Amino acid sequence: MKFGWFVKRRIVRRRRPTNAKHYAEHKERARILVHERLAHWNQSYNFTYKRVAIRNQRSRWGSCSTNQNLNFNYRLVFLPLELVDYVIVHELCHLKHCNHGEEFWFEVEKQIPDYKVHKEKLHVISRNMQEYMQAGIPSSIQQISQVSATVPT
């Protein structure tokens, strides 16, 4: 569109396929898993949080908002339980420390002493997540577990 000398261009963002069907199939399983693990780990911390959401996120396993809302990726259901627990504890600790400072990691380490190993495994899986999404979302936990098993401990 032209407005005098100024040309306004409409920017159209292309969205990647959301794999909505896959998300819908696994969202409830993820919700159950997340709530079970939150209840388990929060017995130690006794933190309060408001809302728990299960989302179809491309690059995050979880997040914690300043409003004390917890968000988790539905793809957690495809991870080994020790990695799910790491993500849950990580986000719970953000309820107390909204950063990745020393005190935050000390809080994580209270419950998961070998958190660095889990963090590295999750990092490897995250790097490969785009490949999974381009080649087709993994249909089972074995496909992701095989990748996490190859990470040296």
Side-chain angles (χ1 to χ4, degrees):
M1 302 178 145
K2 287 189 177 187
F3 297 103
W5 58 272
F6 181 76
V7 177
K8 182 179 178 182
R9 294 183 187 205
R10 185 171 178 219
I11 299 173
V12 179
R13 295 179 93 188
R14 285 188 181 167
R15 291 190 168 250
R16 294 182 187 178
T18 60
N19 298 304
K21 182 181 176 189
H22 194 265
Y23 172 61
E25 289 171 356
H26 298 285
K27 181 180 179 180
E28 194 54 37
R29 235 176 77 212
R31 182 178 313 286
I32 292 166
L33 174 67
V34 165
H35 281 284
E36 284 176 357
R37 302 317 293 164
L38 276 171
H40 171 77
W41 288 107
N42 204 27
Q43 288 176 357
S44 303
Y45 291 114
N46 203 26
F47 294 150
T48 57
Y49 50 88
K50 292 182 182 172
R51 187 179 57 104
V52 176
I54 305 300
R55 301 187 182 279
N56 184 2
Q57 299 165 308
R58 285 189 214 146
S59 61
R60 292 182 189 261
W61 293 105
S63 63
C64 177
S65 74
T66 55
N67 294 330
Q68 309 294 298
N69 294 325
L70 299 173
N71 302 296
F72 295 96
N73 193 322
Y74 85 97
R75 291 179 187 90
L76 285 174
V77 297
F78 297 108
L79 295 178
L81 191 57
E82 67 268 9
L83 295 182
V84 173
D85 286 343
Y86 165 71
V87 172
I88 298 290
V89 169
H90 183 108
E91 299 311 327
L92 276 172
C93 290
H94 277 309
L95 293 168
K96 184 174 181 181
H97 303 284
C98 296
N99 57 47
H100 287 111
E102 254 182 65
E103 293 172 345
F104 168 82
W105 290 113
F106 179 72
E107 202 70 43
V108 171
E109 193 172 27
K110 283 181 186 177
Q111 297 303 318
I112 304 186
D114 57 346
Y115 76 89
K116 290 179 183 177
V117 173
H118 300 313
K119 184 178 173 184
E120 179 58 30
K121 284 184 178 183
L122 204 57
H123 184 68
V124 169
I125 291 170
S126 295
R127 281 194 308 239
N128 293 320
M129 187 57 77
Q130 288 298 0
E131 292 175 28
Y132 288 137
M133 293 183 71
Q134 290 169 356
I137 302 251
S139 58
S140 69
I141 192 168
Q142 288 83 15
Q143 291 174 326
I144 289 182
S145 296
Q146 289 169 355
V147 172
S148 67
T150 62
V151 178
T153 55

